Amino acid sequence: QVQLMESGGGSVEAGGSLRIACRISGGPQSQNWVAWFRQAPGKEREGVAALSPGATITYYADPVKGRVTISQDNAKNTVFLQMNSLKPEDTAMYYCAAGFLDNWSEPVALGGEKYTHWGRGIQVTVSS
């Protein structure tokens, strides 16, 4: 069974950087998209970044474009989210997700509904 585990969250001051990781285990991932989502208290879940199989396509949500980078280390079965120039509004629980998207597009990749495997989430707090 595929399992996802996030790590690397924590607290950082505004303007700082943080890299969070998602280790994926339990099954082949060669055909899966992997994405990061976040949910702040009182707000709906939103997509942050998505990475296609083979890492050939990336999508980023508008609020984070230019500040975050999604990448993968195949040898470690790990997907990273490097976040720079962090803002207090980036404070949220961050989740990684994986799944096969048979009819993908940017809204689908960042929408979340098609992902079948989810991590438990990790807190990122940005103080002003």
Side-chain angles (χ1 to χ4, degrees), residues 15-95:
S17 298
L18 200 64
R19 188 178 78 161
I20 55 179
C22 175
R23 188 174 187 282
I24 305 172
S25 61
Q29 297 299 311
S30 60
Q31 297 189 48
N32 280 347
W33 284 73
V34 182
W36 286 96
F37 297 85
R38 68 185 183 185
Q39 188 167 20
K43 295 188 177 181
E44 293 186 355
R45 184 188 67 199
E46 62 176 350
V48 176
L51 184 68
S52 71
T56 53
I57 300 170
T58 55
Y59 293 125
Y60 296 98
D62 287 342
V64 302
K65 278 181 181 176
R67 299 191 296 119
V68 308
T69 302
I70 187 170
S71 62
Q72 68 180 23
D73 182 334
N74 287 331
K76 297 181 179 179
N77 292 326
T78 300
V79 174
F80 300 99
L81 187 70
Q82 175 70 44
M83 301 183 287
N84 302 321
S85 301
L86 283 162
K87 305 175 181 180
E89 50 263 44
D90 294 318
T91 295
M93 188 73 79
Y94 283 72
Y95 301 87

Side-chain angles (χ1 to χ4, degrees), residues 2-4 11 27-29 52 58-59 63 83-84 86-88 99 101 103 116 124 127:
V2 176
Q3 293 184 325
L4 289 75
S11 298
Q29 297 299 311
S52 71
T58 55
Y59 293 125
M83 301 183 287
N84 302 321
L86 283 162
K87 305 175 181 180
L101 306 184
N103 192 19
T116 51
V124 171
S127 59

